Structure formats: structure tokens, C-alpha cells
Amino acid sequence: SKLAALFEHPLYNIPVPEVTEKDKLFVVNPMEKFSLRSSGSDEWVSSSKAEALLPTGKTAYDTYPTWLKFHIGINRYELYPRRDPLLPTLLRDLATQRIVSSVQKSGGTQLKLVMTFPNYGQALFKPMKQTRDQETPIDFFYFSDFERHNAEIAAFHLDRILDFRRIPPVSGRLVNITKEIRDITTDKKLAKTFFISPAGNVCFYGECSYYCSTEHALCGKPDRLEGSMAALLPDKTLAKRRSWRSPWRRSYHKSKKAEWELNPSYCAQVRETPPYDRGHRLLDLIDMAILDFLMGNMDRHHYETFEKFGNDTFLLHLDNGRGFGTHSRDEPSILAPLQQCCSIKKSTYLRLQLLATQPYRLSDVLREALAADPLAPVLAEPHLQALDRRLGKVLVAVGHCLAR
């Protein structure tokens, strides 16, 4: 296994700083048992009688559902640890747990559903919009592109292979539209949009600002539909997140350009603007630009951080559905932060160099990681080949900076 060898490499075993209580998103007493309020709300409350109810030798933590352990494990430095024993179980839960509720997630340009499991875990479901071998049409603007379920799955694994670990776990899943959405939804607006197509397939389209109409309906075969299931982060009432506008955000206009596209020394003013004027925030943003360039994602207008950790923490790489839309062409402008600032983390650069070598080739390790997903093959082969080509271009860009 190239993937196992990669994760054994010294570059993937650089120690994380010691995590103190103030570096944890949640501080939980491992002896405290949590149970759900009888009102049926998804609020967890502690029960002090826990010790009396537990089998000998087990701590209360052992009884928590995997999604709750994932939330408790989040800290200032990482969303989940490198050698996370929970990860296989969490991915399996996303793919197999019974769905007891599905409602449309409000906001956004395209249809997404929030699915709830019997253990009160929740996942964000993005349905299949495009087949594996379809490319985004050449005349499409990036802001009117489809969101792809397989891009969400591949982005999670790519982010982990780059050792960023800033995307919540995602698994592919085949969902039964009739039993797992239509028959159990309490969302009246969503319920009104189901119909049977002329071909006899079950379809629905929901309500949203872009692709929610009968022309863009999501149809099963006859009621089976592929999608991505992403583990939801802790509710914002429990763990506030701050949304930051990216300095390299595109104009989202058909003809206007953003300032960074017109000013080659744009990075100088970014370096003087908080929070990019100190710490590793700018380097984290460059990491994100490299991830986006590798998967061809032009739609990174904002990013988020956990408010508790202030400016000294990692960026969350959320919403990756517009990646992996084209394999036949690359978008060099995504690399603008790297090219204009000529800065990169040493650890990121060394790992990129490693992933360009034969024993750890990026396309090979990602192909291996994706082979375990229930919807494998997740990416068409040309997308995997494009990753190696784009990785070469990132290394050339760093080479130009070193030469300068």
C-alpha cells in the first residue's frame, strides 16, 4: 500500500504542539455520561448518575457515538488527528447508518439536505448532478457550475493526503429517494417538489436560488441516487465559527476583474492587513490555494475558523463541490496567492515534493484512498492524471519564487 507507506513517512509524523485544555474546542470530563434530553431535542446534557450505569472498566466516553467523539477531538491545530482510530468508523456510519430525517438545508445556490441518524449524528447530503466523465462546459462561468458529490468525497481524501486535515470526513452513499427522503421528510417545501418522471423515475428539485426547477430535477434510477455524506461540524450555537472573506476572492461578475487580478504586487497590501500581518494565516491561505489548484476549484470566496481559537488556528476547507470539474485544462489564476506572495510552508513544500516521486505519486495514493469509498471509482482516471500534472506546476511556481 502506497498510502500506508506515505502515512508512515517522517514528513507525516511531525509532532503537533501539545494540546492543553484551552486548545480544545470542547472540554469534557471523560467520566461524565451524556444523554439526550427527553424532549427529543438534539441537545446533549450530562447525567451525573453515569458511573452507576456503566459496565465495569468502561468510561462514559466509550459510550459516546462516533460523531460526538469526532466533535470532542477538534482542537486548535487539527480537525482530526493523523492516526485517528475513529475515522474508519465515522466514514462507515455516514455510509450505512439508518436515516431517520431529511430536510433541505437553507441558503446556498444548490440543493443540499441535512440527514439525521438514530444516534443523533447528522450529515450534509449533496446529490449527484454530473456523471464521472462529464466536464464543466468550457463556456460556463465558475459561479454557475454544478456542485459535484464526487468532488466533495475526493476533496476530503486529497486534503488528508496533503496532511492538512481541514475538511470534515465525507463518504459516498447510495440513497433511496422514496424511503430515505420523500417518506420521512418533515420539510413541507421539499415535499411539494417530488414527482415521477416520464421514464418512471422518482425525482425532486427542492427550493434554492440556482438549480432548483423541474429542468434541473434530481432523479433516481428508479429511486436510487448517489450522493456525498459529509459529517456536520458542531452546531454554531455550541462552537461559534467566524467567516472570513478571502483576499483572493473572485469578482463573481461576468466582466469585472478583482483587484488581485490587476495588481501584481497585491500581496504586499495583504501582508499589512490583519490577520495576515502576523502568525501563519497567510501560509494557511496559500495551502488552501494549492489544494484548490490541484482540484481546479475556482469558487473559494470565504473560509471559516473556530472563534474560540482566535487568529491562531487552522482554516476550515468547506464546500468543495466545484472542484474536479475539468481535467483537460488547468486554471493558473487559482495559484495567485502562492505566485504573488512567493511564500509556502516548508512542511507543505516538502510533502508536495514527496508526492511528486514515484513511490508516493499523488494520483496513486488518492486512487487507493478513493477505492475504499462505497461509490468507487469516485474520480474518472483523467482527473487523477491531471493531479500529477498540476502538482508539477505548483513545484515549478515555487521554483520560480526560489529563483527570484
Side-chain angles (χ1 to χ4, degrees):
S1 162
K2 284 190 176 188
L3 194 62
L6 179 75
F7 290 145
E8 287 300 324
H9 193 279
L11 285 173
Y12 286 77
N13 289 280
I14 300 164
V16 167
E18 190 192 344
V19 178
T20 64
E21 292 293 283
K22 70 176 192 305
D23 296 324
K24 294 176 181 173
L25 190 60
F26 299 114
V27 179
V28 175
N29 173 358
M31 291 311 294
E32 202 161 34
K33 187 169 167 61
F34 279 73
S35 58
L36 272 135
R37 284 223 163 101
S38 52
S39 67
S41 77
D42 346 358
E43 219 173 319
W44 286 76
V45 290
S46 80
S47 126
S48 51
K49 299 194 181 80
E51 288 73 21
L53 307 169
L54 288 173
T56 34
K58 272 200 163 186
T59 66
Y61 177 83
D62 297 327
T63 67
Y64 298 168
T66 314
W67 65 265
L68 186 59
K69 290 178 180 173
F70 161 56
H71 287 178
I72 290 168
I74 299 170
N75 64 57
R76 178 185 300 279
Y77 307 108
E78 55 192 5
L79 199 51
Y80 57 90
R82 274 194 197 100
R83 299 174 188 282
D84 188 358
L86 295 174
L87 205 55
T89 315
L90 186 54
L91 291 172
R92 189 169 65 244
D93 283 356
L94 291 168
T96 60
Q97 281 246 334
R98 188 165 60 87
I99 297 166
V100 294
S101 157
S102 61
V103 294
Q104 187 170 343
K105 185 179 188 294
S106 57
T109 58
Q110 301 182 36
L111 179 82
K112 297 183 271 290
L113 303 178
V114 175
M115 308 289 212
T116 306
F117 304 128
N119 66 4
Y120 298 92
Q122 290 190 313
L124 187 65
F125 177 75
K126 283 194 180 177
M128 175 172 173
K129 295 255 177 64
Q130 234 173 266
T131 61
R132 305 285 192 277
D133 50 1
Q134 275 179 295
E135 280 201 273
T136 301
I138 200 159
D139 291 325
F140 260 39
F141 286 103
Y142 52 88
F143 47 80
S144 55
D145 191 8
F146 291 119
E147 289 186 26
R148 286 166 283 278
H149 71 305
N150 59 328
E152 294 285 358
I153 303 163
F156 160 67
H157 290 280
L158 177 61
D159 178 81
R160 185 169 171 241
I161 284 165
L162 295 170
D163 200 42
F164 296 154
R165 288 169 290 118
R166 298 165 198 166
I167 295 179
V170 185
S171 171
R173 180 163 179 160
L174 207 53
V175 165
N176 183 311
I177 298 177
T178 307
K179 293 177 182 166
E180 295 179 309
I181 305 176
R182 190 189 71 184
D183 292 357
I184 58 170
T185 190
T186 51
D187 186 331
K188 291 188 173 67
K189 287 181 179 174
L190 178 66
K192 285 179 185 165
T193 69
F194 286 87
F195 64 93
I196 306 291
S197 77
N201 295 322
V202 183
C203 306
F204 67 107
Y205 52 87
E207 277 200 353
C208 62
S209 59
Y210 249 88
Y211 292 117
C212 288
S213 60
T214 46
E215 293 83 4
H216 297 109
L218 302 154
C219 297
K221 288 181 182 174
D223 54 6
R224 310 281 279 175
L225 177 68
E226 277 190 20
S228 62
M229 295 282 269
L232 282 188
L233 291 172
D235 192 283
K236 288 181 181 176
T237 55
L238 301 174
K240 284 191 179 134
R241 303 202 298 270
R242 180 162 175 188
S243 179
W244 304 80
R245 187 182 165 123
S246 167
W248 280 272
R249 180 185 187 271
R250 294 176 187 277
S251 67
Y252 287 83
H253 191 279
K254 293 183 181 73
S255 54
K256 277 186 189 162
K257 289 198 166 188
E259 191 187 343
W260 59 267
E261 293 176 281
L262 304 167
N263 176 4
S265 54
Y266 177 75
C267 185
Q269 69 193 57
V270 176
R271 284 186 190 277
E272 289 171 10
T273 312
Y276 306 102
D277 57 344
R278 53 166 290 277
H280 50 80
R281 177 63 65 91
L282 183 60
L283 291 169
D284 285 346
L285 197 80
I286 289 165
D287 279 351
M288 188 164 63
I290 290 167
L291 171 76
D292 283 334
F293 175 72
L294 290 173
M295 57 186 183
N297 175 28
M298 298 171 72
D299 188 37
R300 187 74 67 187
H301 43 86
H302 286 78
Y303 62 85
E304 291 184 23
T305 56
F306 287 110
E307 214 167 77
K308 178 178 179 178
F309 306 132
N311 290 341
D312 187 21
T313 186
F314 63 90
L315 320 184
L316 289 159
H317 300 164
L318 305 175
D319 270 347
N320 303 288
R322 284 186 170 144
F324 297 105
T326 52
H327 51 71
S328 56
R329 56 190 186 275
D330 304 333
E331 183 47 62
S333 65
I334 303 172
L335 276 186
L338 169 66
Q339 291 164 330
Q340 293 180 353
C341 298
C342 266
S343 296
I344 187 172
K345 281 183 190 168
K346 184 180 179 182
S347 56
T348 300
Y349 183 43
L350 293 173
R351 276 194 293 270
L352 293 173
Q353 287 180 307
L354 184 71
L355 290 164
T357 63
Q358 188 56 45
Y360 307 102
R361 189 181 294 282
L362 180 56
S363 58
D364 292 344
V365 289
L366 185 61
R367 186 185 298 106
E368 187 187 327
L370 295 176
D373 190 84
L375 299 183
V378 172
L379 290 178
E381 198 56 34
H383 283 290
L384 291 163
Q385 304 302 328
L387 279 170
D388 294 330
R389 179 181 74 234
R390 289 169 186 164
L391 174 55
K393 290 184 178 181
V394 176
L395 293 173
V396 165
V398 178
H400 286 322
C401 285
L402 290 170
R404 268 166 57 186

